Amino acid sequence: MEEIINLQTFPIKFRRNKSIASPFEKNHCTYLLLDGAIHGFLKVGTKHITTRIATEGEFVGPFIDLTFGPSEEYIEAISTVSAIAIPHETMIHLYNNFTEANIIGRMLAEVQYREASERATVARLPSAKLRYERFLVSYQHLIERIPLRYIASFLGMRLETLSRLRTEMAYKDRK
């Protein structure tokens, strides 16, 4: 299994604002992020709605492509990204031939499910303030690193609303 992984995976870089995956192209790989950040988003008219943000150590890609065909999600580099590309054919071969790969795949699916569940929880909170407070707990590592426009979109609010909330919270912290 290790030999197959070493032979069939490969390093790859994506420049800032470069598309990593889209509904209009066949996505052949999943990526393990080594450095940099991405955002996943949906296009609704001319608006981009951020669905997820990922950084080092996370797997990204349209996982739905493995089984169900193209995803509606676009994935784009927020900064320069270094990653390891894992071809879907390799993943399928490993799943079909190695019990360990299925165990690892299940564990990764559980992580993806937990992350998707947290994103769904954040999105359903009834006020912008509650969504931002939850973001600060669940995604503290992103606050200084990701442009606010992506965070605002992820939280389902305008950039002005996020800026106001941040100012209010900073003012309360100083008191």
Side-chain angles (χ1 to χ4, degrees):
M1 187 168 98
E2 185 178 340
E3 183 179 331
I4 291 168
I5 292 169
N6 288 335
L7 287 172
Q8 295 183 13
T9 63
F10 53 93
I12 191 166
K13 286 192 181 280
F14 296 98
R15 292 183 321 275
R16 181 175 178 258
N17 298 325
K18 171 77 171 122
S19 175
I20 295 171
S22 88
F24 300 109
E25 55 192 55
K26 177 67 176 145
N27 300 297
H28 299 281
C29 293
T30 295
Y31 304 95
L32 171 60
L33 297 181
L34 302 176
D35 189 43
I38 65 91
H39 73 120
F41 62 93
L42 299 175
K43 286 185 180 180
V44 179
T46 59
K47 190 173 183 180
H48 290 188
I49 300 170
T50 299
T51 54
R52 65 175 154 162
I53 300 167
T55 58
E56 294 85 8
E58 295 184 64
F59 284 89
V60 298
F63 299 104
I64 194 169
D65 278 15
L66 270 172
T67 307
F68 300 108
S71 165
E72 293 180 53
E73 187 177 47
Y74 294 80
I75 300 174
E76 182 179 83
I78 292 175
S79 61
T80 300
V81 168
S82 296
I84 299 296
I86 308 161
H88 290 167
E89 290 176 0
T90 300
M91 292 173 72
I92 291 166
H93 176 76
L94 293 173
Y95 290 150
N96 289 335
N97 293 284
F98 297 95
T99 303
E100 301 90 339
N102 281 286
I103 294 168
I104 293 166
R106 188 195 76 233
M107 293 167 79
L108 291 173
E110 289 172 2
V111 169
Q112 291 295 319
Y113 179 80
R114 187 172 353 110
E115 291 171 358
S117 179
E118 178 61 20
R119 291 191 304 267
T121 298
V122 169
R124 287 182 175 94
L125 293 172
S127 72
K129 184 176 187 217
L130 288 174
R131 289 192 300 276
Y132 183 59
E133 288 172 345
R134 180 71 176 244
F135 183 87
L136 290 175
V137 171
S138 299
Y139 301 100
Q140 180 64 40
H141 64 287
L142 299 177
I143 230 30
E144 297 297 326
R145 184 155 177 213
I146 303 300
L148 291 180
R149 66 185 170 136
Y150 298 119
I151 294 172
S153 175
F154 180 79
L155 294 173
M157 64 181 75
R158 294 186 0 241
L159 181 57
E160 297 81 7
T161 302
L162 178 59
S163 295
R164 180 182 46 79
L165 284 170
R166 288 170 52 92
T167 300
E168 288 172 6
M169 292 175 89
Y171 178 73
K172 285 180 185 176
D173 287 344
R174 283 190 293 243
K175 282 188 155 187

